[in-house]
Amino acid sequence: MFRPLAVLASTIVCTTLLATSSAPAQAQGSGSATLDAVRARGQLVCGIAGVVPGFSLPDSTGVMRGLDADSCRTVAAAVLGDASKIKFVPLTTTSRFTALQSGEVDLLVRSTTWTLGREANLGLLFAGVNYYDGTGFLVKTSLKVKSAKELDGATICVQPGTSTELAIADYFRVNKMKFTPILIQDLAEIQQAFLSGRCDAYSTDGSALATFRATQPNKDNFVLLPEVISKEPLGYVVRKGDDKWFDIVRWTYFVQLIAEEYGITSKNVDSFNDSKVPEVRRLLGLEGDMGKALLLDNKFAYNVVKQVGNFAEIWDRNITVLGVPRGVNNLWNKGGLQYAPPIR
């Protein structure tokens, strides 16, 4: 009667030993599938638009420039210690979410609006807002229109699959006006359609309209109407189900704001090595294990600031030069919405 018990006991011991022996293999991963994939390939793959001045557009040497491009670089600097270890993947408004969901890209920073539907239905999370924006309208000066409320019956060029498309429909419905949408996916094509007179107005995020107008040789021939008809918080997007990766991306964004608050820039960051301010010391990895809490090096924030810059540097380099005011994208202590929790 004791033999079955002995066999059972032996089985339990063997099973326990097998489970124990397999534990190291399971523990090899960081706990973030995305982080492991990025480290394994030694490169961050980031989805961007690739065609928008100020946000993501190659310069004359082929280097991707812009607010979104630099936002991608900050994550590469934080995770890999090198902002140049990055691959940019240009995506359309209709392909961007599928690319992120499928794992084609590790991160999406493509002037993408944070909405309930996208976060609840698409399996995505928004980790930070690098640009608080709103839908606007650009018209030709010759149209002699001074308000969006004068666009009743107008044809409007807009990209399909965007929050702009929905915002326009809501605005015209509320104001009991009618319009005819001209839906064009390709950005260059939609802009050419507007320039050629195929539509009366061009509508997208106000930032994109302002940068488009600023790059025209005859910019005074265009007017950005005063109405901002929606809230469009744009920023970093990741897949749901990888909480550590979400934390990494979110805090990579936050450290840019904290560095700006303390006046820490890419040029002077090393001068703060003897700082006595506790949060500055934690930010730069001089004390504490804030980086390790994110599965990163404790110098991750230092690498972000040193290699890419604080938020103001990134903004000025890409947006201010286009003549677009910072406005609500200022830090909270300067009347803006950019606010970061403390590092402690």
Side-chain angles (χ1 to χ4, degrees):
M1 65 180 289
F2 294 104
R3 291 187 66 183
L5 291 175
V7 172
L8 177 61
S10 176
T11 301
I12 292 172
V13 170
C14 289
T15 302
T16 303
L17 288 173
L18 285 171
T20 303
S21 65
S22 67
Q26 295 172 348
Q28 287 178 0
S30 67
S32 165
T34 309
L35 176 61
D36 292 341
V38 171
R39 283 175 169 166
R41 81 169 77 92
Q43 185 182 57
L44 175 76
V45 182
C46 195
I48 42 90
V51 292
V52 183
F55 288 83
S56 57
L57 183 72
D59 64 14
S60 59
T61 64
V63 177
M64 192 65 70
R65 302 294 184 188
L67 180 70
D68 288 348
D70 278 348
S71 294
C72 293
R73 290 187 176 96
T74 62
V75 179
V79 173
L80 299 171
D82 187 341
S84 69
K85 291 184 176 180
I86 191 164
K87 176 184 178 181
F88 292 107
V89 178
L91 299 168
T92 66
T93 55
T94 53
S95 68
R96 55 185 164 172
F97 298 127
T98 302
L100 182 58
Q101 291 163 334
S102 67
E104 179 184 344
V105 297
D106 306 307
L107 172 67
L108 179 67
V109 193
R110 193 206 173 282
S111 299
T112 297
T113 301
W114 183 359
T115 71
L116 184 152
R118 289 171 175 174
E119 200 161 76
N121 297 326
L122 300 182
L124 306 176
L125 284 173
F126 286 75
V129 178
N130 68 353
Y131 199 116
Y132 287 95
D133 210 343
T135 297
F137 298 94
L138 188 70
V139 298
K140 291 181 178 178
T141 307
S142 59
L143 197 62
K144 297 182 179 179
V145 169
K146 297 182 179 180
S147 168
K149 291 183 179 179
E150 297 176 40
L151 292 176
D152 190 14
T155 53
I156 300 178
C157 282
V158 61
Q159 286 183 296
T162 62
S163 57
T164 299
E165 187 180 2
L166 297 175
I168 295 172
D170 286 347
Y171 179 79
F172 275 76
R173 180 181 177 184
V174 168
N175 286 284
K176 298 179 180 180
M177 301 190 306
K178 295 181 179 180
F179 76 103
T180 301
I182 305 297
L183 301 175
I184 302 174
Q185 176 61 67
D186 182 75
L187 184 61
E189 186 179 341
I190 196 172
Q191 291 173 345
Q192 185 55 43
F194 169 66
L195 293 173
S196 67
R198 186 176 168 189
C199 48
D200 300 311
Y202 171 29
S203 183
T204 186
D205 294 332
S207 59
L209 295 176
T211 55
F212 171 68
R213 179 181 179 275
T215 57
Q216 297 305 301
N218 52 348
K219 63 181 182 180
D220 290 339
N221 289 345
F222 305 94
V223 176
L224 184 58
L225 298 181
E227 289 86 356
V228 177
I229 67 169
S230 70
K231 294 179 292 184
E232 306 292 334
L234 316 175
Y236 303 73
V237 195
V238 299
R239 290 180 292 276
K240 280 185 178 177
D242 195 335
D243 292 347
K244 271 300 178 185
W245 183 247
F246 172 80
D247 290 344
I248 288 168
V249 174
R250 179 168 60 177
W251 279 96
T252 297
Y253 155 66
F254 283 152
V255 299
Q256 299 165 51
L257 304 181
I258 296 170
E260 182 183 352
E261 284 188 41
Y262 284 101
I264 305 171
T265 71
S266 57
K267 294 180 176 61
N268 69 16
V269 62
D270 290 314
S271 69
F272 284 82
N273 285 338
D274 58 356
S275 173
K276 300 298 189 291
V277 179
E279 184 164 41
V280 170
R281 296 188 62 79
R282 291 191 291 268
L283 173 74
L284 301 180
L286 300 172
E287 65 179 51
D289 283 324
M290 297 295 102
K292 288 183 180 179
L294 292 172
L295 308 177
L296 303 177
D297 188 281
N298 284 332
K299 302 284 284 185
F300 85 98
Y302 170 86
N303 291 332
V304 169
V305 177
K306 181 69 174 179
Q307 297 180 33
V308 191
N310 67 27
F311 191 76
E313 289 180 278
I314 295 170
W315 180 278
D316 290 341
R317 180 164 63 234
N318 298 298
I319 306 299
T320 300
V321 293
L322 294 174
V324 179
R326 190 161 169 187
V328 295
N329 286 287
N330 266 305
L331 291 181
W332 63 279
N333 55 8
K334 294 181 179 179
L337 298 175
Q338 295 291 359
Y339 183 101
I343 290 188
R344 59 172 180 260

